[in-house]
Amino acid sequence: MKILHIDCSPRPVSHSRRLSAAIVARMRARHPDATVVRRDLGRDPLPHAEPDYAAALSSPDALAAGLANGAVRLSEQLIQEVEAAGILVIGTPMNNFTVPSVLKAWIDQILRIGRTFTSLSTGKAGLLRDRPVFIGIASGGVFTGERANQPDFLTPYMRAALGCIGLNTLHFLPLQATAFLDDERLAAARETLLATL
């Protein structure tokens, strides 16, 4: 069992990092022999799509050339990390109602036609095996429930993007109102979320 642990916060200590670390700890308690592969997008961001990569995705011939000249090397490495994992854990802040750009850059590399999804007349179909994905979200505001007071483009986007490649077993753990809660209430809210696992 491998766990792919992805963090997206630029802060070395953050609510989303604490939450994702706690999720990984719960998963390791269930799977003591599990190994963890770490991808820290907050500290080591991926480059946004570069010209060679974008050109490689423009046609089947260009993709074949991109495979030969290494333009899709990073994409392939990231896809293989996902394929090797039995569980994915993503810790992310909600930035301006959606995912931070570092997470979008990762998604742009793992969504690749002919490799992780195919296009049919009925729409896109995922080519990857489904596996559990736990997404710990830290938000300064409230975006779900009765007290929601801001839009949420993060969860529907993650459902669409990851579902496109075959990852449909998504578990969202939203730690909300982090800008307004003290440490004790945040710890209690985090424990309540973890109890749902």
Side-chain angles (χ1 to χ4, degrees):
M1 166 70 76
K2 285 188 180 177
I3 300 169
L4 177 57
H5 181 189
I6 298 169
D7 269 320
C8 302
S9 176
R11 297 188 298 157
V13 178
S14 72
H15 300 298
S16 64
R17 285 180 183 276
R18 283 190 194 112
L19 181 55
S20 71
I23 296 167
V24 169
R26 292 280 171 115
M27 294 300 110
R28 291 193 78 181
R30 288 184 187 171
H31 307 281
D33 296 332
T35 58
V36 178
V37 174
R38 193 85 164 83
R39 177 67 66 177
D40 196 330
L41 303 175
R43 292 185 183 147
D44 298 307
L46 299 171
H48 290 278
E50 295 179 341
D52 289 349
Y53 179 68
L57 301 183
S58 65
S59 73
D61 288 343
L63 184 55
L67 288 166
N69 68 24
V72 297
R73 185 179 301 121
L74 175 60
S75 170
E76 190 59 31
Q77 177 186 351
L78 298 172
I79 291 167
Q80 288 177 10
E81 287 177 357
V82 172
E83 288 176 322
I87 297 171
L88 275 71
V89 176
I90 301 171
T92 183
M94 177 180 274
N95 284 359
N96 302 317
F97 319 123
T98 191
V99 298
S101 66
V102 294
L103 183 52
K104 176 69 165 64
W106 178 78
I107 289 169
D108 286 345
Q109 295 284 346
I110 66 164
L111 269 67
R112 199 170 92 215
I113 192 160
R115 179 63 175 87
T116 57
F117 73 91
T118 189
S119 189
L120 306 171
S121 60
T122 54
K124 293 178 172 60
L127 298 175
L128 298 188
R129 173 183 55 83
D130 193 16
R131 67 213 70 208
V133 181
F134 298 91
I135 304 168
I137 306 164
S139 173
V142 178
F143 63 92
T144 68
E146 294 176 4
R147 297 183 308 123
N149 61 6
Q150 69 181 44
D152 170 20
F153 300 111
L154 189 154
T155 57
Y157 171 71
M158 293 297 285
R159 281 189 199 286
L162 297 180
C164 167
I165 62 175
L167 303 180
N168 297 299
T169 307
L170 308 184
H171 307 275
F172 294 97
L173 291 88
L175 184 61
Q176 304 180 88
T178 60
F180 306 102
L181 300 178
D182 60 27
D183 288 343
E184 185 176 328
R185 288 162 65 195
L186 280 167
R190 193 166 44 247
E191 283 307 311
T192 299
L193 288 173
L194 293 170
T196 67
L197 293 177

